Amino acid sequence: MGVLGPKMAFRVLVGCKRVIDYAVKVRVKPDKTGVVTDGVKHSLNPFDEIAIEEAVRLKEKKIATEIVAVSCGPPKCQEVLRTALAMGADRGIHIEVPDEEYASLQPIHVSKILAKLAAQEEASMIIVGKQAIDDDCNQTAQMTAAFLDWPQATFASKIEKTNGDLLVTREVDGGLETIKVKLPAVLSTDLRLNEPRYATLPNIMKAKKKKIDKKKPADLGVDITQHVEVLKVEEPPVRQAGVIIENAEQLVSKLREAGHIQ
Amino acid sequence: MFSYGSKRLSNLIVNGIKRFNSTLVIAEHDNANLSGVTLNAITAASKFGGDVTCLVAGEKTASVVEQLSKVKGVSKILVAENEAFKGMLAESIAPLVVSSQNQFKFTHIVAAGSATGKNLIPRVAAKLDVSPISDIIGIEDHETFVRTIYAGNAVTTVRCKDAVKVLTVRGTSFEAAETEGGSASSEQFAGDGSSNELSQWESADLSTSDRPELTSAKIVISGGRGMKNGDNFQLLYTLADKWGAAVGASRAAVDAGMVPNDMQVGQTGKIVAPELYVAVGISGAIQHLAGMKDSKTIVAINKDPEAPIFQVADLGLVADLFKAIPEMTELCNK
């Protein structure tokens, strides 16, 4: 039995985080409590876009049967769920977390939520971005896999399904490595996994009709008590302005003077 | 039953023990050599005071244990040799770490913020039901850590409220521990993790190069979109070999297929902080700066005087790289 029988559903859960757009130069708040988010352009975390794209491709290959996009946070998270739905996700689940509590929501909470949802939805695979470009944590996939006791295939740049297993090529420090993981599994995407598609206007219109369920962490029995307290957020040190030099010869002699090169 | 006095005594004992931190460092290695980033993690671990224990898990551990036993600051080495640890899969290493934690009750568990550490540490933390702290760049006290967020555009100080602090360490933010002068004892450790039905290591396709490793090189020369194609990277390799430098790349160069992924420097690639970083044909997007702006001296070579890279460069040369780089190479021949 189990979720992987030939005629059973192969449901993919995809984590979708709403983050400040990657092209925005963030500003730290003067009171050092965080960065300015009001009135700043937000979008779907780029790594999660890659996760959605991969899930859609698995569906196009007739491997996945349903794609469920999940986002945790304040009401505006529904915008990123709509983006995921327009790219091809079938339905969405919004885990509502009010702003005050969202400020201290960590990957440990999100992964507990994803683990509970995976059980409820009988998911065969969870796929999330390798990191969110706001907190730069790179933890959620690994922790979700741990809570479920599923294998993890992180920093994936290629995914192939063979029988009940996945063959995943991972981006590691010295190059690439390939591992085999049993399904169900948790995956995290690296940049090179795919090129996410643009949502077309008709698909954006269709996405408006797709369903987004709302739940609260408490509905899933997940406690979101703070584990990590943010004491302060500051600007990084500013580098001294440099000098423009005339030519290659001058550059080499400056580097020699400074003792960098012989 | 218990008098006020004995309760106070037990509190004293608890507080007393609290002051004695003990840290576990997960050693990274290739079954022959200890990875350089582990030395940086050991320095970070030493900052907590108290004993530093290293866990060496792998198929072959003898030479790594020998190297580690001489590293300054390490007091004990736990050795777990087993076929199941092939490829350092998180499914087999995490249970091993958890069982060592159950036995020795460390206050801190630390690994380098490398691909291996990033893969393993959150799984360990979840098994202990604590929140890990990624890629720390500073330690204020035993529970307060500094790390960057938003691609290095903000620096945050956080307090970890969990009983066990589970951390990855940014190698470039801590000196490497000395590889001589230590005298750690080693003991076999038979923890869990020796069977893993969930995952299997298949193969690796690692880039080979005689040049120094990117994350620990004293000089890094990186190429970006301006290099135009992979063949032109030869210009950088030639100069790098003269200087004993490592060669990196921007995401644009990697995405265009000019060089392999593991050469990428940036928020989502490697973080480097060499003495000298030379950015060639790189515009300087936020995501690239995140990976190199802690370099001691930054040199930018770019024909566009408006390129943002010049805002962080100590020395800027507005020039065509195809002219400047061969000229520099020639000058270094003399």
Side-chain angles (χ1 to χ4, degrees), chain B residues 260-330:
Chain B
N261 309 346
D262 60 301
M263 280 172 66
Q264 188 187 327
V265 171
Q267 179 186 21
T268 61
K270 294 203 172 66
I271 312 273
V272 301
E275 299 284 322
L276 174 65
Y277 187 87
V278 184
V280 184
I282 291 176
S283 65
I286 298 170
Q287 291 77 14
H288 185 73
L289 300 183
M292 45 63 81
K293 70 178 177 184
D294 290 328
S295 305
K296 214 161 256 167
T297 301
I298 298 175
V299 173
I301 302 172
N302 203 304
K303 63 181 177 190
D304 174 13
E306 304 297 321
I309 193 77
F310 287 118
Q311 288 163 23
V312 300
D314 301 288
L315 299 169
L317 176 61
V318 182
D320 182 356
L321 71 92
F322 295 105
K323 189 167 161 282
I325 298 295
E327 263 178 47
M328 288 169 69
T329 309
E330 184 56 33

Side-chain angles (χ1 to χ4, degrees), chain A residues 112 134 136-137 139 142 149 152 154 171 174 176 178 180 192 226-227 229 231 234 239 243 245, chain B residues 91 118-119 127 129 134 150 155 157 159 161-162 200 203 205 207 261 264 267-268 293 295 316:
Chain A
K112 281 179 180 176
D134 51 3
D136 282 335
C137 275
Q139 299 170 352
Q142 297 89 316
D149 263 317
Q152 64 191 49
T154 52
E171 292 197 13
L176 301 170
T178 303
K180 194 154 82 176
R192 257 68 61 171
Q226 194 181 62
H227 283 253
E229 184 187 356
L231 302 181
E234 296 168 296
R239 289 188 75 99
V243 290
I245 39 182
Chain B
E91 293 78 6
K118 285 173 177 171
N119 185 51
K127 289 289 180 198
D129 197 21
S134 296
Y150 293 95
V155 179
T157 307
R159 178 185 293 143
K161 296 174 155 186
D162 290 315
Q200 198 182 316
S203 63
D205 181 9
S207 325
N261 309 346
Q264 188 187 327
Q267 179 186 21
T268 61
K293 70 178 177 184
S295 305

Side-chain angles (χ1 to χ4, degrees), chain A residues 192, chain B residues 228-231 233 250-261:
Chain A
R192 257 68 61 171
Chain B
K228 295 209 170 83
N229 63 51
D231 293 342
F233 263 77
S250 71
R251 183 187 163 184
V254 172
D255 282 354
M258 296 181 208
V259 290
N261 309 346

Side-chain angles (χ1 to χ4, degrees), chain A residues 92-108:
Chain A
I93 300 176
H94 176 209
I95 306 296
E96 294 175 288
V97 182
D99 281 308
E100 317 80 73
E101 291 169 70
Y102 186 60
S104 65
L105 200 76
Q106 293 277 324
I108 188 170

